[in-house]
Amino acid sequence: MAIPQPATTDAKVKCHHCGDICNEKPISFDEHFFCCNGCQTVYQILQDNGLCTYYDLNENAGISLKSAFFDHKYDYLSEPEIQRQLLQFESEKLNKITFYIPAVHCSSCVWLLENFQKIKAGVYSSRLNFINKELAISYNPSDVTLKEIVELLTTLGY
């Protein structure tokens, strides 16, 4: 098997996911190079779910991600009172919520968010209103929590 050769710009290695220039030690994984563990993780999520056609949309389809460590930042989303204020519909098997996603800007964003249910088990559907930058998600609260959904959205760069 041939050793992967990194995509370069003026002798610098470009990240396969986000297109940023990698530091002096790019991460090599699955015959690609990544600038950080976050970009590699997003690539793996897409790969594990058969969604790598995401990269066919444009040359630098990914979003830069430098950390997925949240240090309890979203714990408040586990509080029932907070959820009641945020959810548009709540039942034992179906919750609905709409997020404002200001970082949505391209066809890659649309594609990734419209396929969110393929990435996160327990999500029934995701529908993006690109003009209003709103993402409507329906999910089963027994299978996935609101906190987990928000953490994944954050990990993906939204």
Side-chain angles (χ1 to χ4, degrees), residues 1-63:
M1 176 184 275
I3 297 174
Q5 298 300 311
T8 62
T9 302
D10 297 325
K12 298 198 180 200
V13 177
K14 287 176 64 176
C15 178
H16 177 71
H17 179 70
C18 73
D20 284 355
I21 301 299
C22 296
N23 63 22
E24 61 278 353
K25 292 185 180 181
I27 298 165
S28 176
F29 176 79
D30 196 33
E31 299 185 14
H32 299 291
F33 290 88
F34 301 91
C35 66
C36 66
N37 289 324
C39 284
Q40 178 190 349
T41 299
V42 173
Y43 170 82
Q44 284 180 270
I45 290 169
L46 294 172
Q47 181 188 49
D48 291 349
N49 290 281
L51 298 172
C52 279
T53 55
Y54 170 72
Y55 295 105
D56 297 339
L57 294 174
N58 63 46
E59 187 177 315
N60 298 316
I63 298 166

